[in-house]
Amino acid sequence: MNTGDLKIEFPKGLLRPELFLGVASFITAQSVGVNLTEAGNPSGSHFSGNRYGRGEVGEFVLVEGQQSLLLGRINEVRMRDAERRSIQSNFDGLPDLDALGVIQLLGSVAMDDLRVVAGVECYPRLGDRIYAAPHRFIALLPELMEKGGQDDAPVLLVLGHTGKSSDSEVSIKPERLFGRHCAILGATGGGKSWTTARIIEQCVAHRSKLILLDATGEYRDFMGPHVKHLHLGDPVDVAADTAACLLPPTGFVETDFIALFEPSGKVQGPKLRAAIRSLRLAAINPELATEGIISKHNESREKVDAAEADPAIAARLDDPRELFDVKMLTRQIQQECVFPSGGSLKYPDFTVWGNPDEASYSFCLSMIVRINAVISSTAYACVFDKHDDVVNLTEAIDEFVTDGEQKLLRICLSGVSFEYHAREIVANVIGRQILGGARGGKFRDQPTVLLVDEAHNFLGRRIGSDDHSTQLDAFELIAKEGRKYGLNLCLASQRPRDITEGVLSQMGTLIVHRLTNDRDREVVERACGEIDRSASAFLPNLRPGEAAVIGTDFPIPLTLQVAKPGTKPRSGGPDYQKHWRQGS
């Protein structure tokens, strides 16, 4: 937006006499006191189709300084102690009421082009006049806070409004919303799901690329030729055009299997890793294998040792992404439980393996039982069961990225149970595969946003025993390095305290709905240095659907009412009146 546009928007200026509040009565480094001359009115006033409290807590105001305008927000209104008793139950207005308001200073407004920057350029003086800020001006804050000029026809996402009139719509560029990653936070019932749905439908209206990990299936009603639905497992509710898919074990790396099978003690971990290495060798050189495994009980070591000494093969054996047949693991572990040499104790023969080591095998029996249980579990049917007519998720993601017509790929995880940490591990594998595609340059010409619903279920998880624990860190890595590859992360969560602080601090934009838990608010305060306790004090009292937009690109917190999405998420609870009524 340029200066000419602003003159059209505000032909008579921002400081309207109809919106006058009062004058500055005291000034500190962070706040300004105002004598509220209109506080005696029993109600607010209306101007240009919007209501203005003209002295209500939460209202944005403009302070007319000597050198610049200052933007602030009223966070306290009180009367002087001597006059508190003048307010009685029959109070119907008092023109000369002596009320005092406290304004938190947020930023400075340039006189020439109305650019808004955080911080105080020049403090006001006693007696400077203070006005309510027009709703349209507040709605334009995302554009007025931009450092560079605007495009002639920019892509804008209309998220909501700051007032009741049509000219108070808040539009945000996608690069400002997602450019440094985004988090949508809020307690249950605060409107988090509706905000996510609104963002999705606004993005799909443009030539966007969104991959949605839908943890509960609540976004299954998004339909259209540009939307593709896939589901893993057996969800309770399936969208009309949803296709079942498999996540092939080829997408798993060694640490995933360590997390899956949770080896314990000093024996199980080394035997599991040795078995995986042997099965990789069997896949690389099938001539060394017998029925898919490397036999070692009293067998010659010559050919295997020679193959492992080959630098090219050795590099592949140490590659955690090298493929192997996971269903052969239990048989191979049995082969790994072997003495390292044949012959006798006095004359060992290191050209052959020795007899089976029954003691080691007995230590591994609990892990073998777990491996068999995991592979045969219904929780991992979407990984280890083979169906020729089911979509390969890895291939589907690649097709979505290259398909110029598709805009939204929804991957439903509601059919994947939490048994054996299935949902966390599967989501982590999907995230790592998407990050691998980003590192390979797939998203450079088509920026893609990965939306993770109920993100607290997937982030910051560590699985396994102390000796062999695994950190599920795919989404943390995307938060740290994804943006330079054209991959951005958007997290939605009702429990910010369960998201690691390192990840939340990487979120450049936070859309915060009502947060009633003190720990949740403290996490948000630490993650975003621009919001202090005065600003976060409003979070517990936000109305349903109302949110504060804060972050690196929004150093001045902006409160807006998010518009209702056209496609509403299925996030409602059970209807007790319908199902519990007698005779129904």
Side-chain angles (χ1 to χ4, degrees), residues 365-388:
L365 281 177
S366 60
M367 180 177 64
I368 290 174
V369 171
R370 181 177 177 83
I371 291 174
N372 287 328
V374 168
I375 292 177
S376 60
S377 170
T378 56
Y380 286 99
C382 60
V383 176
F384 298 114
D385 287 358
K386 293 183 178 180
H387 302 281
D388 295 335

Side-chain angles (χ1 to χ4, degrees), residues 545-580:
E546 192 176 24
V549 184
I550 56 181
T552 305
D553 285 330
F554 299 92
I556 297 176
L558 173 64
T559 302
L560 58 89
Q561 184 71 34
V562 178
K564 294 182 179 180
T567 302
K568 298 178 177 60
R570 300 285 189 93
S571 56
D575 188 345
Y576 287 96
Q577 295 300 319
K578 175 182 177 182
H579 296 290
W580 286 22

Side-chain angles (χ1 to χ4, degrees), residues 43 99 126 176-177 287 290 306 397 429 493-494 516 523 549 569 578:
S43 64
L126 294 174
R176 289 173 63 80
L177 187 62
E287 295 179 357
T290 303
I397 293 175
V429 171
S493 175
Q494 57 185 292
T516 56
V523 168
V549 184
K578 175 182 177 182

Side-chain angles (χ1 to χ4, degrees), residues 92-382:
D92 59 355
L94 189 63
D96 57 350
L97 186 69
D98 188 15
L100 181 68
V102 179
I103 299 170
Q104 178 195 8
L105 295 177
L106 300 175
S108 302
V109 184
M111 289 290 200
D112 51 356
D113 59 2
L114 300 187
R115 297 290 177 194
V116 180
V117 296
V120 179
E121 181 179 336
C122 183
Y123 283 93
R125 296 174 62 87
L126 294 174
D128 282 348
R129 297 165 66 85
I130 299 173
Y131 301 80
H135 285 273
R136 179 55 177 161
F137 173 75
I138 299 301
L140 288 173
L141 277 180
E143 300 174 57
L144 296 174
M145 285 188 287
E146 288 200 27
K147 296 179 180 179
Q150 286 231 355
D151 301 330
D152 293 335
V155 174
L156 295 174
L157 309 179
V158 182
L159 296 191
H161 51 82
T162 59
K164 299 296 183 182
S165 65
S166 59
D167 66 349
S168 63
E169 285 186 341
V170 177
S171 300
I172 301 176
K173 284 185 174 181
E175 53 265 40
R176 289 173 63 80
L177 187 62
F178 303 121
R180 291 182 175 89
H181 307 301
C182 176
I184 305 169
L185 309 173
T188 300
K192 168 182 61 66
S193 297
W194 280 36
T195 298
T196 304
R198 176 69 181 183
I199 289 175
I200 291 173
E201 69 180 18
Q202 283 291 300
C203 292
V204 172
H206 303 282
R207 196 165 62 90
S208 60
K209 282 290 182 183
L210 303 179
I211 300 176
L212 169 64
L213 296 188
D214 189 354
T216 59
E218 61 182 317
Y219 301 101
R220 60 185 178 273
D221 288 343
F222 280 94
M223 294 296 172
H226 306 301
V227 180
K228 184 173 184 178
H229 296 271
L230 298 174
H231 69 82
L232 291 164
D234 187 19
V236 176
D237 297 303
V238 181
D241 297 329
T242 302
C245 64
L246 290 176
L247 179 62
T250 54
F252 285 60
V253 298
E254 184 173 311
T255 53
D256 295 321
F257 292 110
I258 298 297
L260 267 177
F261 305 134
E262 296 188 26
S264 60
K266 304 298 183 182
V267 176
Q268 292 184 0
K271 294 301 182 185
L272 177 60
R273 294 179 186 275
I276 291 174
R277 182 181 176 88
S278 294
L279 290 177
R280 287 186 187 135
L281 180 61
I284 295 171
N285 193 342
E287 295 179 357
L288 299 176
T290 303
E291 297 181 352
I293 64 173
I294 302 295
S295 298
K296 293 188 175 182
H297 293 171
N298 295 310
E299 296 288 342
S300 171
R301 303 179 53 146
E302 183 179 357
K303 291 183 179 179
V304 173
D305 289 346
E308 291 181 342
D310 186 331
I313 294 179
R316 294 180 63 181
L317 293 178
D318 293 330
D319 187 350
R321 297 165 295 180
E322 188 67 36
L323 306 182
F324 67 93
D325 189 349
V326 66
K327 293 193 173 183
M328 293 292 181
L329 258 180
T330 56
R331 292 180 58 195
Q332 188 63 53
I333 289 173
Q334 185 178 15
Q335 293 297 316
E336 299 300 329
C337 297
V338 61
F339 288 103
S341 64
S344 63
L345 291 177
K346 187 174 182 180
Y347 300 104
D349 183 2
F350 289 99
T351 63
V352 297
W353 283 287
N355 295 321
D357 184 354
E358 298 298 338
S360 295
Y361 185 66
S362 64
F363 280 122
C364 293
L365 281 177
S366 60
M367 180 177 64
I368 290 174
V369 171
R370 181 177 177 83
I371 291 174
N372 287 328
V374 168
I375 292 177
S376 60
S377 170
T378 56
Y380 286 99
C382 60

Side-chain angles (χ1 to χ4, degrees), residues 48-106:
S48 188
N50 286 299
R51 181 188 178 279
Y52 294 86
R54 300 179 70 184
E56 294 180 357
V57 171
E59 189 172 13
F60 285 96
V61 300
L62 291 168
V63 182
E64 186 182 21
Q66 301 293 313
Q67 302 179 38
S68 65
L69 294 177
L70 294 178
L71 177 65
R73 193 179 192 187
I74 300 176
N75 58 21
E76 182 181 346
V77 175
R78 66 175 183 265
M79 293 187 62
R80 304 181 195 280
D81 292 340
E83 299 187 7
R84 285 188 295 109
R85 293 185 178 274
S86 63
I87 303 293
Q88 302 292 334
S89 60
N90 59 351
F91 178 77
D92 59 355
L94 189 63
D96 57 350
L97 186 69
D98 188 15
L100 181 68
V102 179
I103 299 170
Q104 178 195 8
L105 295 177
L106 300 175

Side-chain angles (χ1 to χ4, degrees), residues 15-52:
L15 308 179
R16 304 303 304 271
E18 299 91 343
L19 302 181
F20 176 73
L21 297 182
V23 296
S25 59
F26 74 82
I27 299 162
T28 71
Q30 297 179 335
S31 60
V32 172
V34 53
N35 288 335
L36 296 173
T37 58
E38 301 295 325
N41 294 330
S43 64
S45 60
H46 287 78
F47 174 72
S48 188
N50 286 299
R51 181 188 178 279
Y52 294 86

